[in-house]
Amino acid sequence: MRSVVGVGGVFFRAKDPEALSLWYETHLGINRVPKDMEQAPWVSEGGVTVFAPFAEDTDYFPNDRQFMLNFRVADLDAVLSYLREQDITVSREETMDGIGRFARIHDPEGNPVELWEPENR
């Protein structure tokens, strides 16, 4: 059997796709989708990607949202410091033994975004 080798994209609806793309590029360094061959797409570093359907009644993220983005980061403290300087609220921070540290923010349209610094092994 052939297997999927990685995530090729994350696609979701937005009220203002252009503004939301700019927010992700400005605050999280995720390049917008290229419109020509001169622009570079976002290329993530190799590492773990978790694909995890949650129960319908999960309280891990808001019940009015069907998804939550999770991005790996190399230095959570530095990322959070920058985001706070940009007046972006960090709503939740936690550590999970054996897995790493997490923090939660929301994009301008209210979508939950989890930042994850994996534990060094």
Side-chain angles (χ1 to χ4, degrees):
M1 177 176 130
R2 297 199 183 255
S3 299
V4 172
V5 296
V7 174
V10 176
F11 308 97
F12 58 98
R13 290 179 174 87
K15 293 175 189 153
D16 188 341
E18 205 47 46
L20 198 56
S21 293
L22 179 60
W23 185 89
Y24 277 92
E25 183 175 52
T26 301
H27 298 294
L28 298 178
I30 299 171
N31 296 4
R32 290 181 268 180
V33 173
K35 294 188 169 127
D36 58 44
M37 296 305 290
E38 303 300 315
Q39 296 176 310
W42 177 55
V43 177
S44 65
E45 292 181 19
V48 173
T49 299
V50 176
F51 179 78
F54 279 70
E56 254 184 337
D57 61 351
T58 186
D59 63 356
Y60 194 68
F61 52 92
N63 62 6
D64 67 335
R65 300 298 166 162
Q66 292 299 311
F67 70 92
M68 178 177 67
L69 300 171
N70 173 294
F71 295 114
R72 277 180 279 113
V73 299
D75 184 344
L76 186 59
D77 292 327
V79 172
L80 295 181
S81 177
Y82 166 78
L83 292 172
R84 286 180 172 121
E85 288 172 7
Q86 301 299 306
D87 292 324
I88 295 171
T89 301
V90 177
S91 63
R92 179 176 177 170
E93 293 182 62
E94 64 184 304
T95 299
M96 296 177 83
D97 290 336
I99 298 174
R101 297 175 52 222
F102 297 86
R104 184 84 46 86
I105 61 173
H106 290 82
D107 73 19
E109 293 196 7
N111 298 308
V113 177
E114 187 173 62
L115 304 172
W116 170 37
E117 182 181 338
E119 188 172 283
N120 292 330
R121 295 180 182 232

